[in-house]
Amino acid sequence: MVQSLPPGKLGLPVIGETIAFFTDREFAIKRHERYGPVFKTNLFGQTTVFLQGADGNRFILTNETKYFQISWPPSVEQLLGPLSLALQSGHTHVSRRKILAQAFQPRALAGYVEAMNVISDRYLDRWVQQETLTWYPELRDYTLDIACKLLIGLDDGAAMPLGHYYEDWSTGLFSIPLNLPWTAFGKAFRSREKLLVEIEQLIRDRQAQATPVAKNDALDLMLSARDDDGEGLSLEELKDQILVLLFAGHETLTSALSALCLLLAQHPQVLARARQEQQDLADQPLNLETLKQMLYLDQILKEVLRVIPPVGGGFRSVIQDCEYQGYQIQKGWQSLYQINATHLDPTLYPNPQEFDPDRFDADRAEDKQKPFAHVPFGGGLRECIGKEFARLEIKLFAARLLREYQWELLPDQDLDLVVIPTPKPKDGLKVRFSKLQ
Ligand code: HEM
């Protein structure tokens, strides 16, 4: 079969269509309508090919290391650091995933419930005291405190300099990588350096403990890990790994929690049914076992992550020429698998804009029609390593809210979503918050 080059416009010289890509949530959907299931464009100065829907996701995610290899926009690569799991590939990637995965095994997760509950108590009390609040920044502190406590054993992480530096760091994450004092990237880069200083101190403190107390957190696991040659991880790598874990462990979760709170407030019938499910389980303590019984909450969680996925898609560089649906995909290009656009595909999800947790009940199971149709956590070799940690944290938080608290959206606020680096309501989600009457 004769292969042709994918259709599409490369846009302006150098920047191509990068600005439209960052500002228009429907960037890919519109172009697929115009060009069909495969199109090309230019992002960050590179020819980039988009493959549509669940089939496109499957092609990319099952051909990782054969045709595709991880690549992030240049600003992200420089801010994450080359030694972080999110950028490693091949043998090193596999060996590091094995080490880090231990921090997310069911036994480890069961041990996290108590600390999550203690931190939740503190924040929930605070929000009741405040009565009205802008929730997003609060949720960010909450998720960062949990990540710091459980991954590196640090209390009150959000109140530490570390918390402050992460904010500037993530603001520059997707930006033009121009390292100047006044650019978003320049500020983020300086925050990265300060974050690394803080993280190095934490590592040294842990190493210096006279009688090491085994915390079995991600930091312990990495400090005791040895590679095939019996070597430990270098200090430089430890720093990059912790930086990425703390970032991934709170930024995406903040977005997911705020989306959950927003969508429940906007859909009172769903909220009422979710509260009923909690009442039916009210005599049981919150632990991994009871959380598993919350099937309607599972559906809600899936639907929240479908409608407002914290990560919109993933970049890969093309490492070998290949063919997809009759189109040539050339080595040296980059490609993108699409989370957001797949979740809005009406052939998979009828009325895709509608928030409808019942689409995931046993009868409809819309996500099961095709592999890679519901991919908030990606898939394949690089599927999110913190997926179960995230699900635990969201479900526990949701169950606490549904059992004990009520919240309503304050009027006169902009609820449109800013999508970079992760979706959040423009005015930060302003609510009135109180104990459930
Ligand atoms: C990778 C989403 C929470 C750590 C990913 C990927 C996605 C994702 C889509 C794959 C990116 C790609 O294919 O290029 C999410 C969402 C979360 C979440 C939606 C919350 C709702 C977490 C948490 C952690 C974490 C809590 C750690 C504590 C990571 C890491 C990777 C990753 C380290 C890179 C894995 C690799 O390249 O092998 N995440 N994530 N994530 N996630 Fe998450």
Side-chain angles (χ1 to χ4, degrees), residues 61 64 70-72 85-88 93 97 100 104 147 151 241 244-254 256 301 305 309-316 337 339 375-379 381-387 389-391 393-394:
L61 293 172
E64 187 100 52
I70 189 75
S71 78
W72 289 87
L85 184 72
L87 284 169
Q88 288 168 324
H93 175 247
R97 260 189 88 102
L100 289 176
F104 305 109
L151 300 175
Q241 296 291 21
V244 75
L245 274 189
L246 289 183
F247 156 65
H250 88 282
E251 183 81 32
T252 45
L253 268 165
T254 308
L301 176 53
L305 295 177
V311 179
F315 286 97
R316 299 291 186 268
Y337 77 89
I339 298 174
V375 280
F377 295 102
L381 295 178
R382 307 202 80 104
E383 188 179 39
C384 176
I385 198 168
K387 176 179 161 181
F389 181 98
R391 286 173 40 77
E393 188 170 326
I394 303 171

Side-chain angles (χ1 to χ4, degrees), residues 156-226:
D156 297 328
M160 303 282 175
L162 191 110
H164 170 69
Y165 300 144
Y166 259 117
E167 236 178 293
D168 271 350
W169 181 87
S170 58
T171 308
L173 200 53
F174 292 92
S175 60
I176 298 163
L178 211 56
N179 193 354
L180 295 169
W182 57 87
T183 58
F185 180 79
K187 286 182 197 152
F189 200 80
R190 283 193 300 287
S191 297
R192 168 178 160 83
E193 284 165 352
K194 291 181 197 155
L195 276 168
L196 292 179
V197 171
E198 296 290 322
I199 292 171
E200 180 168 341
Q201 193 53 51
L202 281 163
I203 296 170
R204 292 198 185 281
D205 288 350
R206 180 75 65 97
Q207 284 171 326
Q209 279 172 2
T211 39
V213 187
K215 291 184 189 261
N216 287 328
D217 57 14
L219 178 53
D220 256 1
L221 288 167
M222 285 191 282
L223 283 172
S224 56
R226 295 288 171 268

